[in-house]
Amino acid sequence: MIWRLIVDIYEECTTAYPVVTHIFNGRTRKEAEGYYEAHLRADAFLRGCAVGGHYEHDFSCYAVKRWEKAPLGG
């Protein structure tokens, strides 16, 4: 089994559904969280929405995180 950290990004005009979903997999929650933290440094859009609540000065957005377990390889 693997852990999946799923991060849904919502924009101000699309609060009914996420516009982007990121999935970070790991054998442990800590491993998956580490991939998420690394990606935050590399992805300005994810970082802006997850940390700052907006992307640059263009629009408001936010991230919702959730966990699930999945079979390895599926």
Side-chain angles (χ1 to χ4, degrees):
M1 298 296 280
I2 61 167
W3 283 98
R4 286 189 173 150
L5 173 55
I6 302 161
V7 182
D8 292 321
I9 303 292
Y10 296 83
E11 295 180 4
E12 61 189 355
C13 61
T14 58
T15 58
Y17 57 89
V19 295
V20 177
T21 298
H22 291 78
I23 301 173
F24 303 93
N25 298 301
R27 292 189 178 156
T28 64
R29 286 173 70 132
K30 184 177 180 177
E31 181 184 2
E33 186 80 31
Y35 297 136
Y36 168 70
E37 293 293 330
H39 201 68
L40 278 175
R41 291 190 297 272
D43 185 331
F45 178 71
L46 175 63
R47 182 175 55 255
C49 294
V51 177
H54 58 85
Y55 179 63
E56 297 181 349
H57 295 290
D58 296 337
F59 55 85
S60 297
C61 54
Y62 63 94
V64 175
K65 293 172 29 176
R66 58 190 163 93
W67 289 97
E68 69 178 34
K69 279 193 98 165
L72 189 61

